[in-house]
Structure formats: structure tokens, C-alpha cells
Amino acid sequence: MRATAQDPRFYSYSLPASAIAASILKFQQPNFTRLRLSWGLSSKAKPPVTMGAKKENSDDEMDEKVKKYLRGDAANLEGVKDKKLKGQLAVREDLYGKSAKTAAKIEKWLLPSEGGYLEAEGIEKTWRIKQESIAREVDILSSRNQYDIVLPELGPYTLDFTSNGRYMAAAGRKGHLAIVDMKTLNLIKEIQVRETVRDVAYLHNELFFAAAQKKYTYIYNREGTELHCLKEHGPVLRLQFLKNHFLLASINKFGQLRYQDVTMGEMIGNFRTGLGRTDVMQVNPFNGVVALGHSSGTVTMWKPTSSVPLVKMLCHPGPVSSLAFHPNGHLMATSGRENKIKIWDLRKFEVIQTLPCHAKTLNFSQKGLLAAGTGSFIQILADFSGSQNYSSYMTHSMAKGYQVGKVLFRPYEDILGIGHSMGWSSILIPGSGEPNFDSWVANPFETSKQRREKEVHSLLDKLPPETIMLDPTKVGTVRVPQKKEKPTKKDIEAEMEAAIETAKDTEFKKKTKGRNKPSKRATKRREMIDKAKRPFLEQQTQEHETSRKKQKTNPETEMPKSLQRFVRQKAT
Amino acid sequence: MKVKVISRSTDEFTRERSQDLQRVFRNFDPTLRSQEKAVEYVRALNAAKLDKIFARPFVGAMDGHRDSIKCMAKNPNYLKAIFSGSDDGDIRLWDMASRRTVCQFPGHQGAVQGLTVSTDGSILVSCGSDCTVRLWNVSDANLADSDNLSDNSAKPQAVYVWKNAFRAVDHQWDGDLFATAGAQVDIWNHNRSQPVNTFDWGSDTTISIRFNPGEPNILATSANDRSITLYDLRMSSPARKVIMRTKTNSIAWNPMEPMNFTAANEDCNCYSYDARKLEEAKCVHKDHVSAVMDIDFSPTGREFVTGSYDRTVRIFQYNGGHSREIYHTKRMQRVFCVKYSCDASYVISGSDDTNLRLWKAKASEQLGVVLPRERKKHEYLEAVKNRYKHLPEVKRIVRHRHLPKPVYKAANLRRTMIEAERRKEQRRKAHSAPGSIVTEPVRKRRIIKEVE
């Protein structure tokens, strides 16, 4: 069941030339308008003269790279009648093709590092290779990144990394909050809040993080100073931060999903999911929708502007135990209590693959490796041929008593962070991280000046919450005027129910001096519910009237033939 | 077992000394960035708003004339200077940077009707309603000398008297012939006191004249009998004539596409024609609400500026049907002449209230030295704004212009009238036999006939 309400701001209705241009061109010019096409490198970088087969390989590689930068198919200009528009579009298409080719060509100059890999020789299998043997083969700096931090008395730990992978926030259930600089393995600050901490999430940079504590959520500084106490969220089970929108999403003990804008402190959305308590929540990084996994086996996807979920899909026969999204936004991995992991294609909402695997926690890496952790065992799955057919790549078992709570890949590094019941660990997974970062997107070597500049720029580019939609590439396209699709009765009812629920939730001011009588409160509550219902009832009565009027305008059919000439003719 | 893990050494990725620049690494992979289109939309919205905040097109007014300004001329060799002639015979040379008069050229007894400068910048030709043509020496040396004294006046190099009052003058682009328009079209040489050649087709006065920048022997004129005539000097007879429904006040050739010219007409529109094919206008530019008095092309050939009787100056794209920009001030009365500066950044308008006004061609442009990073940022913002300018919120901001109330009301009235005409035409068509009423395209509608 899907409820779609498109925000009119991001679509154009008229069809001027530029609108058709934007809609027909399904992809956009990459974000390098600064790239000069007359860059001499493109002419200098001639492919070496090789044998025919080799040349074909490099051509294929080049084609793949070009495809990556093209962001979709070329537009079909056959149907365009307007010659002027056709000419303009053809020129633009040509330009896109050229810039994609140039980007593919200069890749080998621009990208300094190469990705990691693990190749087994002979009869060896990659999933039998242990971390110790990897540590022996790699350099000292990388082997330093393999460790176990044992903190047995402070409860199971959860982790969060900043988007550049430089800093980590670790939270122990019994109130231990720690910020670690992962590059120097330096403990920046640790505090003991003396309360249960259920989750921790970094905000837009390493200066701020939010901790979901026993009764409320708190936002802390890098120094450990408490900056804000977010009382409205209630006792939160999971926190997620949407980077582009500066929204902190939380799901609490009562199954209420809340979105709060951390720049202005405004509560954007407050929804009762109606599906009970759940602590499985993930953000899809591609389009910013929040997915919740429920104990009925359904996964619901939400956006901050609608009180009804966008998508509700039945994934497992039992409760969903964890959820993970691939960074390209098309793949989702879910695991249920029946010890199966399902890989879903989010474009068609179909299962691609089912793996017989336990998983209490799942996470995708930047390169598409899937980490599944249960008990004290972690399995890494990879799709080798790029065909989305996942198979076992590596495994890791920790000491017997350690219960894995959360696995999280570190961005831009080949490292997996594991939060378990006895502390946290980190292991090396070659080939999981993106080797080449973009300084304007996430810079692991950021100076404080660069961090400040980036903060200002990202605030200027802050997206309004209405831009969250299932397909984010639809912004700027022409909305085809459809025949007025009347929402089905079910949809209307669902919306009415949702409106009534939110109306029931409103809190009233506590009046004093004898004005706070229970009967008055009850009438006030009934009034609010009636107000919420009113627009729907008005719509219903209007529809009744129009249908009645339509019935009235056919008297000719009812009148006998002899009286036809007395029927009042409407002036045409 | 072969294994390799990502390991970055700090010195490769950070700078060595504090005086070095910070190292920047780029990876253009789309998967690293999410919601690109929404981010671009937000940037486009902000760019549109910033554009409006920085839109201050009025640079200054040049005050000095004592009567309305009828004509202006640009010196192609000297960027800062502009000549203007007014209705009391006063010709002045202005320095646009300081907005002061450099030199005055007194002499005309009546109104100065036309001004033009020869292409090498040495001779200024002026004609007036006192039946005289005066040639002035305005080479650089002369101007430099007269810089010291403001109010300096110069003596004419030559004065030629002829039979009738003149309405316009234009100089050939590559030669020493100039043409005057009056009762007939006369071709003069600098050194002869009588016209070398005369053209006459029709019995009405010619009111404007323009030489073609590409073909130095072709010139276009417009006359009071609502016609536009093309002459070829080599053939010594008129080449072609097109008669429209209303009179054309001024003509300008596109300097980058010299076969096209645009005519500023009395019926509030400008018509662009291809000189080889005069039966149909290439484009009709509609936006003014009163007669268009003057028109000038930008040296890039991509835009032109028009001044109209409705007290506004508009800038159009060379192939666009509607104006990109409108400039107006409470103090600016009927605009009689406009010029686009030779570096395509300024527009000068001369109007009835004795002032010349200097405007920026792009209202929110940053003047002065623009650093390369600033320039790239401006270009990026312009590009992203143009990509999303059809979306409702961005469009609303980009399109918004404040119009003076009379212009706004007149535009609404025109729109209502045109809509009404269109509806009536549609109904006539619907109620008559199919094919009996043929709608003429707008480009042809205003042309009565073409004559060889």
C-alpha cells in the first residue's frame, strides 16, 4: 500500500521549452561545470598501443566509467516537434556526453588511491582467512586499526561515525559516552551520564552528537557539555540523522516517529506509527526516507510531511530484526527471526536474493559489502561480479561471551567497527571502503577552518523536508497532468484516521483556578477531533451534492414521451 | 594470499608548510553525493533571491542638456565617451565614468536630429532641422586636449547646407561616405559639400537610416509611409521595400549576423527580419505598451535594447519574444534614444527630461575587478538558476519585476484586448466552414506587401 502526495513545488505544470528540456533530459550535468572541456589532458591521455583484446577491455572499462557519470540514459529526441527546442536539447545532450567522457578520462589522474582487495591463492578460501593473517601482511599503520577494547562493566556498546570516518562516538548502555579520534586513536572526551543510554548519533559534524538516554534525548558538545535536552521525543530507542536536511529522526518506546530540525529546533513531524514498539530504524542515504522494521514483519518507510507511511511492505513472517540500505539507494537488506536475510530491490519492491544467515545487525559498506552480525560471529558478504548476487567473503568470530550489538563500516576506510556487550572492536575488511574521497563532500583530513566553511556551505544548501521522496531524481521534471485520480475510499478513511490520531495527541494548557474541570477537558478534546474530521465530512457532503445534481439533470430519460416537450431545456 | 588495505599517509593528504595551499581532492562519482537535484534546486532558489537583492541597474544620470535629447552616437574607438544631441541644437561629448561633459559642440540653430561617428573615430557628423550637416573633428588628440577645461567648445570642421531638413544620419562602416535621411536619402562624402548620390522611392520623408555592418554598401531606411527600404549603393537604385501596417521608428542591424535587422515599430513591437527574406518577420518582440522609439544591438549580437514612448527601457534577447529586463524611473520621461555600450556592459538612454541615464546591462552584475573564483561562482549560480527557472517558486522570483502603474495597467489592457480579438477569431473560425478562414501567423500579419 502506498500513499503518494507530490509536493507541487518541485514540479512544473506549464510546458515551456526549458521545462520540456528538464523532463526529457533524465540526467543532469554532473557537478563539475568548472571542468573545461578544452583541458589538454584529454588529448594527451592516448590509450597505449596494445593488442586487440586488451584494447577492448580498456574500452569496456571506459564505457562503464562513462556510464557511471552519465546518471541515466540519453533522452529520446524523436518525439520533439519544436525545432528550436530540439536543437537546444541536442546541443545539451552532446555536452553531457562530452563531460561524462572527460570525467572518465581524467579519473586516472584525479584519483590518487586504489581500493583494497583480498585474493585467495590456490585452494585457500577468502572466508577462512583470519584477521591475524591479514595483520601480518599489511603495513603497521593498518594493523594498528585492528583492536578490541574491553569494557565489560558498562554494558553493550553502540557506535556512530562521522561522515568522513574520522571520529567515532561510542555509547555504553550503562551511561558511558566516549568520543574517539580514529586517526590518532586518541580519546577526545568521555563522560558518564549515570543513566541508560540506548543510542548515539552524530549530527552534521564531530562537534555535536545526540544521545538517547533513559527519559529524554540530549545533545552534547565535543567537550561533553550538555547543550540541549529534547523532551518532546520521549524515551527514544533509536536515533538517525538526515545529513542533507539537518533532521534528527527518532523512534521511541511507544512507536512514535519524530523529526526535529536541529538548526532551528523546530519539530517537523510527529507520527504515531501504530505498529507498536520497534528499535529497528535506518535512513536510506539515497533519498532520505526513514525505514522502520516492525514486529509484525512489515517494513514501513516514512517521510516527514505525511502522517501515513510511503511504503508498507511485508518482509518476514516474524519480527524484523535488522535493516540496512546500500548507498546507491536501490538495495535493502532485511533480516528476520527466521534466520534469513533478504536482499530487496527497492525500485520494484521485490526480493532479489534470500540468504540463510543469522543476522542481528546488518550494515552495507560504501563499496557494497554487507556485514551481518549475530552472537559473536560476523559474516561479510560481497557481490563479486556486480550482479547483486551476494556470497560469503569473510568471516570473523570473536571471543565466546561477546554478543554483537551493532556493526558499522567506517567511511573511506577498509575497517568494520563492532559494538558488542564487552566493549567495541575494529577489524580490517579489505575492499569495503571508498579509496578516493572528495574534499568538498567529506574530508578525513579536515582542518578546523575547513570544517567551519563546510558547515556554513551545508547550511546554505540545507534541503527543505519536502524534498524527501522515494525517487529523488524526479525534482524538476514536468508533472504530467493526469485525469483527476480520486483517492479511494480507503485512502480517505486512512487519512481521516491519521488526522484524528494527531488531533487526539494535542496537549492542552493546564488551567488553574478551577477552570481545569475534567468535563471541560473532555469537550475540548471532542472539539479538536471534530475539527480534524470536518474537512473530510465537508468533502463527502459536497460529493453527495454533486452526484445528486447529476442525477437531477436527466429528467428527459424519466419523463414519458408525451411530456418531453415540457421538460425545461437548459440554455446551451 | 594477496591483500591490500586502504592506508593513507598523512603527508600525502595534508600540506607541508603553513604557507602552502590546502590540498583538495576530487572524486566526481555520483554515488558519493545524494539528492543532487534537490540540492541544485535549493541553490537555484537562493541564487534567484540573491540576484534580486543585488539587482541595482541604475548607475547614474548625466545632467546638462537644456532640452530633450533626440539622438546619441558612440565612438567605436573610445569606450568611455558618448555624444548626445538635443532639441536646442546642443551637442555634447560625455565621459561616462565621471558623468561629466567633456566637450560641447555648439552651432546648430534648430534641433539636432541625427549624430554619427565615422568608424575610425575622427569625424563626428551631425544633422539637424536647420537643413545643415556639420562635420566636427573628434580624434583622440583633440579630446585629450580639451580634457582640462569643462565646457570647452569646438569649431566645426565643415558645414554643408542643403535644401531640406534632415531627420537622421549614419556613417558607412568602412569608408568615408555617410548618408542622411530627410525628404530623400542623400549619400555624402566628407570632402564634398553636396551629396554624391540621392535615392528616392516614394513620396514620404525617411525618418531613420542605418548602414549594414557587414556589407558596407547596404543600408536600410524607414519612412513615414510605413515602409522599410533596403538600398544598395553599388546599384544606385533601391533594392527592396516592405510596407507594414505601422511606421517604423528605428532600425538596427545585428553586428554578429549582419543579414538580420530589427525594426522598432509604432505598434509597440519590434520586428526582426532577415534582409534576404522580407516577406516574413523572423521574430516579433512584444512587451512595450507604447511606440518603440529607438533600438540598438549589443556588440555580442545576442541582445538589444529598446527605448519606448512609455517611459521604459527594455532589453530583449535577439531571438526572444519577450523582454529579459525592464528599466524605469519616476524621473525618466519619454525615452527617445538608447545605445548599448561597446563593451556590452552598459546601456545608455536619452530621454525627454534632458538627462542621459547610464544603466547596467545585467542588473545584478558585480562591476569592477572580479576575481576568478568569484567569476566561477557567478557563472555556476547563473547556470543552476537557468536550469531550474521553470519551477514555480524559482520562476516567480526570476520573473518578478516592478512595473510603474500606468505601464502595468496599459499592459493588462493590451492583454485583454488581444485576448478578446483572439477569442473572437477562434469563434469565427469555429462557426464557419473549415478552411474558409485562415489565420495568418503573427510574423506575417503586420506586413502589407513586399515590393521589389
Side-chain angles (χ1 to χ4, degrees):
Chain A
M1 191 257 290
R2 214 182 290 194
T4 52
Q6 296 165 319
D7 190 319
R9 286 200 294 169
F10 307 109
Y11 303 88
S12 76
Y13 294 91
S14 61
L15 298 175
S18 46
I20 302 179
S23 74
I24 289 182
L25 299 168
K26 290 195 192 69
F27 56 87
Q28 56 169 354
Q29 188 172 7
N31 191 14
F32 39 95
T33 48
R34 300 168 202 162
L35 249 186
R36 306 222 186 89
L37 294 173
S38 58
W39 202 332
L41 281 174
S42 57
S43 58
K44 280 183 206 155
K46 289 204 188 88
V49 176
T50 53
M51 308 295 284
K54 246 193 173 177
K55 196 156 189 248
E56 273 178 30
N57 269 346
S58 65
D59 269 350
D60 284 339
E61 274 178 31
M62 191 58 82
D63 275 341
E64 264 197 49
K65 284 190 197 164
V66 171
K67 212 172 154 196
K68 178 172 67 160
Y69 288 109
L70 276 181
R71 292 169 171 87
D73 293 322
N76 186 7
L77 295 178
E78 303 299 315
V80 182
K81 295 271 166 55
D82 187 357
K83 281 190 203 161
K84 200 161 139 186
L85 178 66
K86 199 170 180 177
Q88 287 176 358
L89 289 180
V91 167
R92 257 201 249 182
E93 290 275 339
D94 201 30
L95 196 64
Y96 289 178
K98 272 195 214 156
S99 52
K101 276 205 191 102
T102 320
K105 275 197 192 137
I106 61 170
E107 237 189 36
K108 76 172 170 192
W109 308 103
L110 264 193
L111 306 183
S113 329
E114 281 175 4
Y117 53 83
L118 175 66
E119 278 165 30
E121 284 165 340
I123 53 166
E124 217 180 16
K125 300 281 181 196
T126 51
W127 62 78
R128 291 204 182 286
I129 297 174
K130 294 199 186 296
Q131 287 291 312
E132 292 89 10
S133 40
I134 294 180
R136 268 179 267 134
E137 307 276 331
V138 265
D139 55 308
I140 300 181
L141 218 58
S142 309
S143 56
R144 267 185 64 195
N145 278 319
Q146 248 182 20
Y147 54 79
D148 278 312
I149 308 268
V150 180
L151 300 158
E153 64 268 347
L154 288 171
Y157 275 78
T158 65
L159 321 164
D160 192 33
F161 289 108
T162 51
S163 60
N164 57 9
R166 174 96 187 245
Y167 297 90
M168 180 182 79
R173 184 70 62 83
K174 300 229 176 15
H176 181 205
L177 287 170
I179 312 174
V180 183
D181 177 355
M182 298 304 278
K183 196 153 285 333
T184 54
L185 287 173
N186 217 355
L187 179 69
I188 294 181
K189 189 75 193 183
E190 65 180 332
I191 52 177
Q192 171 62 255
V193 297
R194 303 199 298 178
E195 243 188 3
T196 352
V197 174
R198 295 197 194 93
D199 197 15
V200 72
Y202 262 117
L203 300 190
H204 54 281
N205 56 19
E206 71 267 17
L207 295 177
F208 307 102
F209 65 93
Q213 295 180 205
K214 179 172 165 199
K215 275 167 79 179
Y216 308 123
T217 318
Y218 294 84
I219 295 184
Y220 292 91
N221 198 359
R222 187 175 44 178
E223 321 289 313
T225 335
E226 177 193 314
L227 297 176
H228 302 282
C229 169
L230 309 175
K231 287 203 176 150
E232 292 145 347
H233 291 250
V236 167
L237 295 177
R238 281 275 178 274
L239 288 171
Q240 289 283 316
F241 188 67
L242 284 77
K243 262 177 221 4
N244 297 333
H245 308 82
F246 280 79
L247 290 176
L248 184 64
S250 71
I251 181 97
N252 69 8
K253 254 187 349 186
F254 311 115
Q256 289 167 340
L257 176 65
R258 281 188 170 82
Y259 288 91
Q260 186 163 27
D261 185 340
V262 297
T263 54
M264 300 300 284
E266 212 187 308
M267 190 65 82
I268 304 284
N270 170 7
F271 312 116
R272 284 186 180 181
T273 54
L275 294 164
R277 177 195 164 117
T278 167
D279 65 347
V280 177
M281 175 159 116
Q282 280 294 329
V283 165
N284 185 346
F286 179 64
N287 52 17
V289 309
V290 163
L292 300 170
H294 300 275
S295 49
S296 53
T298 48
V299 166
T300 50
M301 297 198 191
W302 299 80
K303 69 174 184 180
T305 46
S306 81
S307 47
V308 180
L310 284 169
V311 178
K312 222 177 182 182
M313 43 199 281
L314 181 64
C315 290
H316 290 279
V320 176
S321 47
S322 79
L323 193 57
F325 283 102
H326 193 286
N328 71 7
H330 299 310
L331 288 182
M332 177 174 77
T334 60
S335 75
R337 292 266 177 87
E338 80 276 16
N339 299 334
K340 285 222 174 357
I341 297 180
K342 289 190 183 173
I343 314 274
W344 298 82
D345 181 341
L346 286 178
R347 288 171 290 198
K348 294 189 230 160
F349 294 100
E350 274 176 6
V351 185
I352 295 182
Q353 203 184 359
T354 316
L355 299 154
C357 189
H358 296 236
K360 185 160 175 289
T361 162
L362 289 170
N363 191 241
F364 270 102
S365 86
Q366 278 177 325
K367 282 288 190 193
L369 298 182
L370 177 60
T374 110
S376 59
F377 179 69
I378 294 169
Q379 192 174 37
I380 318 288
L381 306 153
D383 63 335
F384 292 107
S385 50
S387 62
Q388 286 158 9
N389 200 0
Y390 278 81
S391 59
S392 188
Y393 174 55
M394 284 174 73
T395 59
H396 177 69
S397 32
M398 300 190 287
K400 250 318 180 132
Y402 291 25
Q403 298 289 317
V404 167
K406 183 166 180 176
V407 280
L408 195 57
F409 278 100
R410 202 171 131 199
Y412 303 104
E413 294 281 349
D414 278 341
I415 292 167
L416 177 69
I418 309 163
H420 48 76
S421 57
M422 301 292 250
W424 72 81
S425 327
S426 142
I427 57 175
L428 295 177
I429 313 283
S432 59
E434 170 63 54
N436 299 298
F437 59 87
D438 188 324
S439 306
W440 305 123
V441 171
N443 187 356
F445 299 93
E446 218 168 34
T447 61
S448 61
K449 212 171 172 191
Q450 286 175 333
R451 185 195 63 224
R452 289 199 297 260
E453 289 282 324
K454 185 165 185 295
E455 191 178 15
V456 173
H457 280 298
S458 53
L459 280 170
L460 285 174
D461 287 339
K462 180 179 94 154
L463 299 177
E466 294 84 14
T467 49
I468 297 177
M469 50 185 86
L470 277 177
D471 186 7
T473 55
K474 280 227 151 53
V475 173
T477 52
V478 176
R479 186 202 249 173
V480 182
Q482 290 166 340
K483 275 193 210 162
K484 238 193 171 175
E485 212 180 72
K486 285 214 176 132
T488 59
K489 226 179 173 181
K490 249 188 156 183
D491 282 343
I492 301 179
E493 271 179 32
E495 278 194 42
M496 197 160 90
E497 296 291 317
I500 293 176
E501 295 294 306
T502 44
K504 280 192 194 163
D505 258 341
T506 49
E507 286 193 14
F508 297 115
K509 194 173 169 192
K510 283 218 171 83
K511 291 200 180 173
T512 53
K513 296 194 180 179
R515 290 191 209 114
N516 195 12
K517 286 196 250 183
S519 55
K520 285 227 171 112
R521 263 187 285 149
T523 39
K524 194 99 194 266
R525 198 171 288 272
R526 252 181 283 133
E527 249 179 71
M528 293 296 290
I529 294 176
D530 281 337
K531 230 205 275 185
K533 270 198 198 164
R534 198 182 307 154
F536 297 98
L537 295 176
E538 274 180 7
Q539 220 183 25
Q540 275 181 7
T541 47
Q542 260 185 14
E543 277 178 28
H544 281 313
E545 272 204 31
T546 47
S547 61
R548 207 161 46 95
K549 275 191 183 167
K550 274 191 185 157
Q551 280 182 357
K552 252 191 171 178
T553 56
N554 287 1
E556 298 154 348
T557 50
E558 296 170 9
M559 287 272 157
K561 221 175 171 188
S562 49
L563 294 175
Q564 286 285 337
R565 59 183 201 264
F566 297 115
V567 167
R568 195 190 302 182
Q569 298 273 349
K570 262 204 174 151
T572 45
Chain B
M1 155 176 80
K2 279 197 276 189
V3 66
K4 178 184 178 293
V5 182
I6 296 173
S7 73
R8 297 190 186 93
S9 71
T10 325
D11 15 299
E12 265 179 37
F13 291 88
T14 49
R15 61 182 179 182
E16 279 180 29
R17 285 162 291 229
S18 60
Q19 63 233 65
D20 286 342
L21 293 175
Q22 293 283 4
R23 285 185 207 221
V24 166
F25 297 89
R26 300 305 311 273
N27 184 352
F28 296 119
D29 196 352
T31 48
L32 288 184
R33 299 161 171 83
S34 59
Q35 294 192 292
E36 291 174 301
K37 286 190 117 183
V39 171
E40 285 199 335
Y41 168 78
V42 168
R43 286 182 184 165
L45 196 60
N46 289 338
K49 290 179 185 171
L50 281 179
D51 228 13
K52 286 293 167 204
I53 292 173
F54 289 123
R56 290 181 181 218
F58 183 59
V59 177
M62 293 177 255
D63 196 11
H65 275 291
R66 281 181 293 278
D67 208 339
S68 82
I69 297 165
K70 272 287 152 50
C71 48
M72 293 196 289
K74 295 189 278 198
N75 187 340
N77 294 10
Y78 196 53
L79 202 59
K80 276 204 299 179
I82 186 128
F83 294 94
S84 62
S86 70
D87 266 351
D88 61 352
D90 193 13
I91 302 174
R92 283 174 193 244
L93 169 62
W94 300 89
D95 173 42
M96 285 198 265
S98 58
R99 294 193 278 286
R100 309 249 304 266
T101 310
V102 170
C103 195
Q104 284 192 352
F105 303 91
H108 273 283
Q109 309 296 354
V112 179
Q113 296 280 12
L115 277 181
T116 182
V117 183
S118 69
T119 328
D120 56 5
S122 56
I123 306 265
L124 166 71
V125 183
S126 66
C127 70
S129 36
D130 58 352
C131 313
T132 55
V133 172
R134 283 164 207 259
L135 275 70
W136 313 80
N137 192 350
V138 289
S139 54
D140 267 347
N142 192 8
L143 292 174
D145 279 342
S146 50
D147 247 339
N148 302 326
L149 305 161
S150 58
D151 257 21
N152 201 354
S153 47
K155 291 232 160 42
Q157 183 187 325
V159 180
Y160 303 141
V161 186
W162 196 235
K163 299 179 213 159
N164 40 38
F166 296 108
R167 293 293 296 273
V169 68
D170 195 36
H171 199 286
Q172 200 181 30
W173 273 66
D174 237 353
D176 49 318
L177 295 177
F178 64 89
T180 56
Q184 66 281 334
V185 177
D186 296 313
I187 315 291
W188 302 70
N189 192 317
H190 287 172
N191 313 317
R192 302 276 168 82
S193 60
Q194 286 190 345
V196 170
N197 208 343
T198 311
F199 291 109
D200 203 354
W201 189 1
S203 50
D204 252 324
T205 44
T206 329
I207 47 177
S208 85
I209 191 163
R210 234 4 126 203
F211 269 97
N212 188 325
E215 278 289 326
N217 289 314
I218 296 190
L219 60 104
T221 63
S222 72
N224 256 341
D225 62 354
R226 301 167 279 120
S227 67
I228 302 174
T229 319
L230 296 175
Y231 291 92
D232 191 337
L233 292 183
R234 296 165 296 193
M235 282 181 8
S236 75
S237 69
R240 268 219 178 121
K241 187 190 228 185
V242 61
I243 302 179
M244 298 184 65
R245 284 187 200 275
T246 43
K247 169 177 86 159
T248 302
N249 284 322
S250 177
I251 301 177
W253 292 91
N254 187 335
M256 284 293 145
E257 294 174 1
M259 61 279 198
N260 297 335
F261 67 87
T262 308
N265 213 322
E266 274 286 315
D267 67 350
C268 325
N269 297 340
C270 298
Y271 297 89
S272 287
Y273 287 95
D274 185 340
R276 306 165 293 189
K277 191 180 167 210
L278 284 176
E279 60 187 22
E280 186 182 8
K282 270 189 85 160
C283 191
V284 180
H285 310 275
K286 300 180 184 182
D287 242 347
H288 277 293
V289 296
S290 193
V292 188
M293 303 308 292
D294 196 13
I295 180 170
D296 191 31
F297 260 92
S298 153
T300 61
R302 285 277 184 255
E303 288 183 336
F304 60 86
V305 61
T306 57
S308 138
Y309 197 70
D310 68 355
R311 306 193 200 96
T312 59
V313 170
R314 283 191 192 251
I315 301 181
F316 289 82
Q317 306 274 27
Y318 79 113
N319 57 358
H322 288 277
S323 59
R324 155 177 93 76
E325 191 72 77
I326 172 174
Y327 295 151
H328 59 87
T329 326
K330 259 195 199 158
R331 295 198 181 172
M332 182 162 74
Q333 302 303 315
R334 320 283 177 186
V335 182
F336 282 114
C337 46
V338 284
K339 280 274 180 262
Y340 219 118
S341 80
C342 289
D343 60 352
S345 355
Y346 296 98
V347 158
I348 308 115
S349 68
S351 56
D352 216 0
D353 55 292
T354 77
N355 286 343
L356 270 125
R357 283 185 178 81
L358 190 63
W359 309 82
K360 285 194 242 178
K362 288 198 178 18
S364 49
E365 190 183 12
Q366 183 180 347
L367 297 177
V369 178
V370 179
L371 299 171
R373 286 178 75 186
E374 279 182 333
R375 190 170 44 87
K376 285 208 181 95
K377 182 78 180 180
H378 289 323
E379 282 172 11
Y380 173 74
L381 290 179
E382 190 65 34
V384 83
K385 188 175 63 138
N386 280 336
R387 172 179 272 201
Y388 289 91
K389 67 176 176 221
H390 58 281
L391 287 178
E393 288 209 3
V394 184
K395 182 161 93 166
R396 187 179 66 93
I397 296 172
V398 167
R399 241 170 44 116
H400 171 75
R401 298 272 182 295
H402 174 72
L403 292 178
K405 209 183 243 181
V407 174
Y408 180 69
K409 292 214 163 131
N412 278 347
L413 189 61
R414 263 177 80 80
R415 201 178 308 131
T416 327
M417 287 162 62
I418 291 172
E419 261 307 301
E421 261 308 308
R422 202 178 62 88
R423 244 179 295 132
K424 287 184 185 162
E425 185 66 32
Q426 268 183 346
R427 286 183 189 148
R428 263 183 234 126
K429 244 186 140 173
H431 290 272
S432 53
S436 59
I437 298 188
V438 176
T439 42
E440 253 192 310
V442 181
R443 298 172 187 180
K444 284 197 174 185
R445 216 179 284 169
R446 305 298 297 179
I447 301 173
I448 296 182
K449 66 174 174 188
E450 194 194 340
V451 182
E452 268 299 313

